Amino acid sequence: MISFRRLCSIALIIVLAIPVVLIARESGNEDWVLADAIPPTGEAAAFIMFAAMGIGPLARIIGARRRWVAWLLRKRRMIGVTAFCYAMLHLVLYSVDMGTLDLMLAEIGAPGIWTGWLAFLAMALPAAASNDRAMRMLGRMWKPVQRLLYPVVALTIVHWAVLMYDWTEPLVHVAPMLGLYAVAAILAFMKSRKRTFA
């Protein structure tokens, strides 16, 4: 019999696979073109990255000892790597749709394009370091590498907003993660103040 923990892991895998399943289903439409799959893969990468990054502050707010929070913390690495996989698929689809390197280089100076490239490259380092061996090799340098994800969030929002001519959508989607960080920072500040005056 499958354990509850295993069922939760299977459910998480299914949830993370939903975007690519929806994209594959849409590709069966007669009027579908490859370019139609580029925005959804980028959005999936952003959503999943925001979710992975929100787990840390959530654990600081609620407490990492709760079983479901501890489970999320254990799955955070897998969720983050999945976000990078969607980002890689986003880049591959963009490259295939553009067709040639010359066309890609011709538009690389556009704000909506270079921010995407920079976000991907900065995201690649933490993704490459998301294994036990790399973490042991990096030692104390692992944390600074992981912190590259903060500028990745900013670059992702700009990339998304500039290309879609809309700041509202990306800001709405990043708001829960930013809210968790804000609450965690406020609680940490209040705790430090309490210690000071104790």
Side-chain angles (χ1 to χ4, degrees):
M1 188 171 177
I2 300 175
S3 67
F4 179 72
R5 188 177 294 181
R6 181 63 61 87
L7 281 172
C8 288
S9 297
I10 292 168
L12 178 61
I13 291 168
I14 291 169
V15 168
L16 293 174
I18 286 173
V20 78
V21 170
L22 292 176
I23 292 164
R25 191 181 71 175
E26 287 294 318
S27 68
N29 296 337
E30 288 183 10
D31 56 346
W32 185 88
V33 292
L34 186 65
D36 293 337
I38 298 173
T41 50
E43 289 167 12
F47 295 156
I48 297 169
M49 178 180 66
F50 298 158
M53 292 182 68
I55 294 170
L58 178 67
R60 291 194 289 276
I61 295 165
I62 296 177
R65 291 182 181 179
R66 292 177 184 266
R67 289 179 64 181
W68 65 274
V69 177
W71 181 81
L72 280 174
L73 285 169
R74 288 194 298 273
K75 298 298 179 183
R76 179 170 51 174
R77 187 188 305 182
M78 183 185 80
I79 298 169
V81 170
T82 302
F84 178 71
C85 290
Y86 275 108
M88 188 178 292
L89 179 59
H90 181 65
L91 177 59
V92 167
L93 291 171
Y94 163 75
S95 301
V96 172
D97 185 61
M98 291 299 288
T100 67
L101 182 61
D102 288 341
L103 287 174
M104 291 169 67
L105 291 174
E107 68 171 23
I108 203 166
I113 301 301
W114 68 258
T115 49
W117 277 105
L118 198 54
F120 177 80
L121 293 172
M123 195 179 183
L125 290 173
S130 290
N131 60 79
D132 293 337
R133 185 178 177 184
M135 287 169 69
R136 283 194 301 270
M137 287 175 61
L138 287 169
R140 291 182 180 179
M141 284 301 297
W142 180 76
K143 274 291 182 185
V145 169
Q146 188 187 38
R147 289 190 186 107
L148 285 172
L149 290 171
Y150 298 124
V152 169
V153 169
L155 288 165
T156 299
I157 292 167
V158 175
H159 173 67
W160 187 346
V162 171
L163 286 179
M164 296 300 168
Y165 302 99
D166 178 25
W167 285 88
T168 306
E169 190 175 353
L171 289 174
V172 164
H173 288 297
V174 78
M177 185 205 82
L178 295 178
L180 286 170
Y181 273 97
V183 172
I186 291 167
L187 290 175
F189 175 74
M190 290 170 65
K191 195 173 182 180
S192 67
R193 293 266 295 180
K194 193 178 288 185
R195 285 175 183 169
T196 303
F197 293 106

